[in-house]
Amino acid sequence: MVRERGRSRPRPVWFVTGPVCVRPSRRRIVRSLETVRRTDIEIAIHATEVASQVIRSAVHGPVTRFAKEADDFATQTDLDAERAILDVLTAACPTDRFVGEESGVTGAVGGERVWLIDPLCGTRNFAVGTPLVAVNVALQVRGTVRAAAVAEPFADTVFWTAGAGAYRRHGGHDHELLPEADSRLVDVDLDHPFPWPSPARLLGAEGFAGRFHARVLSTALALVWVAAGRRAGYVTGGDLRDSVHFSSAIAVCQAAGCVVTGLGGQPLHTPPHGLIAAADESTHAELVAAVAGLR
């Protein structure tokens, strides 16, 4: 195991024929699971990797949008990536239950094992060719995440945990994640409202402005970047219980040793909900105080 140092170098899209990208066949994806150890975490990692292949292969193609609630939408790539994940998971764990962002609940009813799937976290980014997207797969057993993987498709990287420690897999090697707050970079998710005034107010708030360097990112990458030492912290609103978008990245952050609480510094998943993740205790305390000043 290698300890995390620096960023991995992105690798070019594969599966390219001339200027047209070709989607990997689902048969090839599922059969390739035979070469992977059949532990829950390896299944989760493999599922995010095959979805990443689908996403990379579609990046230069046309974007087909399907309307959802309000101005939200999914693309054909969201659907294809989720289908690829489900092909892997149902082949490996046919008696489990699956909760997908696009397909909803499928599989066994009332089982203790539930897979949470977000096939393309950052759909808006993907739709305009911005490569800041993630793939999230988590296994909950009796309500507790036991295996979690967050892929960064355009870096050919997976952040993962099986509960003891957190790691970055790149090029077939695993590197231990080490949170680090020296950058003072903090991502604020502006898409999920706080229970009090707009999260955008945090950017100019006393205790935040001048102390931190704000960035804005609304994907699970922001959370795993805290675990990897690429960000000092991350702040978002919303009720994140059993979230297909956040469960995997929260598990990785916690396993890496980050401080993860609700917006008020209270236990995660309790009112007023939301999330503050920080690389260390002092950074977390500063962020909690800055958010409290908005009430």
Side-chain angles (χ1 to χ4, degrees):
M1 199 73 67
V2 182
R3 294 174 76 84
E4 174 75 329
R5 286 289 185 271
R7 298 193 182 193
S8 57
R9 296 180 58 190
R11 292 165 64 180
V13 174
W14 65 289
F15 270 46
V16 176
T17 305
V20 180
C21 293
V22 180
R23 182 169 60 196
S25 74
R26 291 176 186 160
R27 179 175 298 178
R28 182 184 298 123
I29 288 169
V30 174
R31 285 183 177 175
S32 65
L33 184 61
E34 296 170 4
T35 66
V36 178
R37 292 182 322 215
R38 289 178 177 268
T39 64
D40 288 333
I41 188 55
E42 291 295 341
I43 292 167
I45 291 171
H46 184 67
T48 65
E49 288 174 337
V50 297
S52 294
Q53 294 170 13
V54 171
I55 292 166
R56 288 194 297 268
S57 71
V59 69
H60 298 304
V63 176
T64 303
R65 301 189 185 200
F66 301 94
K68 298 168 73 172
E69 294 182 1
D71 67 342
D72 195 12
F73 63 91
T75 68
Q76 185 62 50
T77 304
D78 290 79
L79 305 182
D80 292 343
E82 183 160 306
R83 183 68 263 166
I85 292 169
L86 286 169
D87 284 349
V88 170
L89 297 183
T90 56
C93 309
T95 62
D96 289 356
R97 194 177 192 191
F98 312 100
V99 180
E101 180 184 8
E102 309 303 338
S103 58
V105 180
T106 57
V109 177
E112 294 182 338
R113 292 167 51 92
V114 181
W115 293 87
L116 304 176
I117 303 160
D118 182 359
L120 206 174
C121 184
T123 298
R124 292 181 187 277
N125 286 345
F126 176 81
V128 296
T130 301
L132 296 177
V133 303
V135 180
N136 303 309
V137 174
L139 171 64
Q140 280 188 342
V141 181
R142 295 184 293 278
T144 300
V145 173
R146 299 297 187 188
V150 179
E152 187 174 357
F154 295 103
D156 199 10
T157 294
V158 181
F159 303 89
W160 64 271
T161 183
Y167 305 91
R168 176 181 68 91
R169 180 169 297 184
H170 178 73
H173 300 285
D174 289 322
H175 307 258
E176 184 181 3
L177 298 181
L178 300 174
E180 172 57 64
D182 285 354
S183 72
R184 306 298 282 174
L185 292 170
V186 174
D187 273 299
V188 181
D189 184 346
L190 301 183
D191 283 346
H192 292 82
F194 289 1
W196 43 85
S198 165
R201 286 187 54 197
L202 179 62
L203 305 183
E206 183 179 354
F208 187 91
R211 290 175 178 263
F212 296 103
H213 304 290
R215 299 293 185 269
V216 176
L217 184 62
S218 298
T219 81
L221 289 182
L223 260 177
V224 293
W225 285 354
V226 178
R230 301 180 189 179
R231 294 291 189 270
Y234 174 70
V235 183
T236 186
D239 184 346
L240 310 182
R241 288 174 293 181
D242 302 323
S243 169
V244 297
H245 308 289
F246 287 97
S247 293
S248 296
I250 288 172
V252 169
C253 260
Q254 291 173 326
C258 299
V259 183
V260 183
T261 68
L263 280 175
Q266 83 283 5
L268 191 62
H269 306 318
T270 63
H273 294 290
L275 176 145
I276 295 177
D280 55 34
E281 292 280 0
S282 61
T283 302
H284 179 264
E286 290 182 78
L287 291 173
V288 169
V291 170
L294 299 178
R295 299 195 186 199

